[in-house]
Amino acid sequence: MSEDFASRYTLANIPRNAAPYQTVRFLDWLERLKSVGMRHDIALGVMVAILTGQRRGDAASNLFKHVTAVQNDEIVKELFVAVREAIAIASPFVGLPNTMPANFGIIAVLKDRGIASIESKSRANFAKEDYEKIGHTTSQAIYRGVGNKEVGQMLAQYMPDFSTYNTFSIFGYLCGGSTVFSLAEVETIVVSAIIGLGATRQARSHTKAAMQLGISVEILSTIDAVAQQIAAWNKTPLPEVLDLAQLRNELSSELEKLATC
């Protein structure tokens, strides 16, 4: 990546006093995620999602560069597709300005290697899929047992445009339409981005959603711990450590209520 490209695209939104990228620490965090059973591509996607929440897309691209440095082009392409998908899924939850530096950074890796195109299975176009229907189904699957039904009701009542966008674009097209990750893997990326962002209420809700979709407490605890350490490195400490035992109890209580309805 040239200095001009980096300054124009990858580093454009980074504060001048930002913590420098540290290869060993970042690779250690990646290995910690893999140690609890995450596939390499999912662990890398989780790291990237946390970093977009932390407004450090530059670090996400550096990590991608180091991870792919010794890989052949086919492996690089496979990892690119996974990271690209993670960034796309994280983007509505953390904001486009926070994800664009990561996008440009991973593009730079491909440009430096002379890779001009990526063959991957794209989402079906809007004429072939009913993304509003998919969005409703996906949203119900994610939030089952989370216990915040009133959120969707309030948005539908008072903010119908936002509600439609939320259903159609986020949970329909992006989350429900993913051809790269399963729904549980999609939610793993979502909760990682939200934890990295420091949005405590949403982090609790999506942690319960991830549990409900089968993501283990061990994995979620490790994601939270890694996010806490990344935030400390970035000098933006997170507001709280997630109380996973309490969240698991809340989920169990809500699922019991649903079972009796």
Side-chain angles (χ1 to χ4, degrees):
M1 184 193 312
S2 70
E3 290 185 10
D4 181 60
F5 186 96
S7 63
R8 289 180 63 188
Y9 300 112
T10 311
L11 302 175
N13 300 338
I14 308 304
R16 291 184 179 180
N17 63 343
Y21 176 80
Q22 298 173 326
T23 303
V24 173
R25 292 185 74 181
F26 275 74
L27 293 179
D28 283 348
W29 285 325
L30 182 63
E31 290 302 315
R32 185 172 178 184
L33 293 169
K34 291 165 61 178
S35 73
V36 294
M38 281 193 201
R39 288 199 323 263
H40 181 57
D41 60 334
I42 298 296
L44 186 56
V46 164
M47 285 285 294
V48 169
I50 292 170
L51 287 164
T52 60
Q54 282 282 301
R55 301 178 63 186
R56 291 304 304 268
D58 62 309
S61 61
N62 277 330
L63 176 62
F64 181 74
K65 179 179 179 179
H66 285 119
V67 165
T68 57
V70 296
Q71 304 292 348
N72 63 44
D73 283 357
E74 291 308 308
I75 298 297
V76 172
K77 291 177 183 179
E78 290 175 8
L79 291 175
F80 176 87
V81 168
V83 171
R84 180 180 65 184
E85 185 75 357
I87 296 170
I89 290 166
S91 62
F93 297 93
V94 303
L96 282 175
N98 292 340
T99 54
M100 291 309 294
N103 279 328
F104 289 126
I106 66 170
I107 288 170
V109 171
L110 265 62
K111 289 174 68 69
D112 287 346
R113 296 180 71 119
I115 300 173
S117 63
I118 297 289
E119 293 182 8
S120 60
K121 186 179 179 182
S122 301
R123 288 168 172 79
N125 66 38
F126 299 108
K128 293 183 178 180
E129 288 287 4
D130 183 349
Y131 283 113
E132 183 176 11
K133 181 178 180 180
I134 292 172
H136 281 296
T137 301
T138 301
S139 183
Q140 289 170 2
I142 288 174
Y143 289 111
R144 179 177 177 271
V146 171
N148 60 357
K149 186 183 295 185
E150 74 282 358
V151 171
Q153 292 172 341
M154 286 189 292
L155 290 176
Q157 180 178 357
Y158 294 105
M159 297 185 172
D161 289 341
F162 181 83
S163 180
T164 298
Y165 162 72
N166 196 46
T167 300
F168 187 91
S169 299
I170 299 176
F171 290 104
Y173 185 74
L174 277 177
C175 296
S178 179
T179 60
V180 178
F181 298 141
S182 69
L183 185 57
E185 291 165 348
V186 165
E187 183 58 23
T188 303
I189 299 300
V190 170
V191 73
S192 299
I194 293 172
I195 290 172
L197 185 65
T200 53
R201 185 188 185 284
Q202 289 79 10
R204 295 187 202 113
S205 294
H206 280 275
T207 296
K208 288 189 283 186
M211 289 179 182
Q212 187 266 132
L213 288 170
I215 305 304
S216 71
V217 170
E218 182 182 25
I219 286 176
L220 290 165
S221 175
T222 303
I223 290 172
D224 190 41
V226 168
Q228 293 284 343
Q229 292 176 10
I230 289 174
W233 157 81
N234 197 36
K235 304 171 189 174
T236 56
L238 299 179
E240 67 176 25
V241 175
L242 291 172
D243 187 340
L244 294 172
Q246 176 63 31
L247 294 173
R248 181 170 55 184
N249 290 338
E250 291 175 10
L251 175 64
S252 295
S253 177
E254 289 294 330
L255 290 174
E256 287 176 8
K257 291 178 185 177
L258 290 175
T260 59
C261 291

